[in-house]
Amino acid sequence: MLLLAIALLIQPATEPPVDWDKEFGVEEKVRDPATGELPVDPYVQSNSHAGAAPFAGSTMAAAFGGQDGIRRIANRTVELSEADPRIAAIFQAHDMVRLKRTLFEQFCYILNAGCDYSGRDMAAAHKDLGIRVRDMNALVENLQIAMRDDNIAFAAQNRFLAKLAPMSRDVITR
């Protein structure tokens, strides 16, 4: 026992723990204090990146409750998708604050409710996510639930979904 105690005393002091993030050059991203969003690499912003031309007139925007209603639907769609075991993993490592904002902007622009879209184009935004047809179907189901929960007329839902559907070719990558 005495030998063990002596061995421990003569043993060199342990080295401080290794900061593996620093060791491998991993930088922690800091959220913007004003928006709460994580920084992204610069890109050209354009309404054409929204993936569809806006509806003419104000009928569709009114059917969705204007910007407040559109924001509720966009946020609810993201929340349902984050909780959906079929697609939750796709959302885990992403900035949900930014996603909610850009999805709102996209819906608002397409519904002609007076917004500009500041997000990336659909192909760039979904690159390397490995989205499958079944993932897209789950997302659309969640959007339908959000619209139904907000009492959007079925005909308006279908018109909106028809406008969004062609984007799937830029989003589905496998």
Side-chain angles (χ1 to χ4, degrees), residues 43-52 106 109 117-123 167:
Y43 60 94
V44 175
Q45 295 181 6
S46 170
N47 283 331
S48 67
H49 293 168
Q106 180 187 36
Y109 172 75
Y117 177 67
S118 67
R120 290 186 170 94
D121 68 88
M122 294 300 101
M167 287 182 220

Side-chain angles (χ1 to χ4, degrees), residues 88-141:
I90 295 169
F91 294 87
Q92 285 178 345
H94 298 283
D95 184 350
M96 292 300 104
V97 175
R98 180 179 175 75
L99 176 60
K100 286 180 180 179
R101 178 183 58 78
T102 57
L103 190 63
F104 160 72
E105 289 176 357
Q106 180 187 36
F107 288 2
C108 185
Y109 172 75
I110 292 170
L111 290 164
N112 200 15
C115 299
D116 287 315
Y117 177 67
S118 67
R120 290 186 170 94
D121 68 88
M122 294 300 101
H126 298 89
K127 184 182 175 222
D128 300 327
L129 293 181
I131 306 289
R132 301 167 295 192
V133 171
R134 66 181 174 201
D135 302 326
M136 180 62 94
N137 290 342
L139 178 68
V140 170
E141 288 173 22

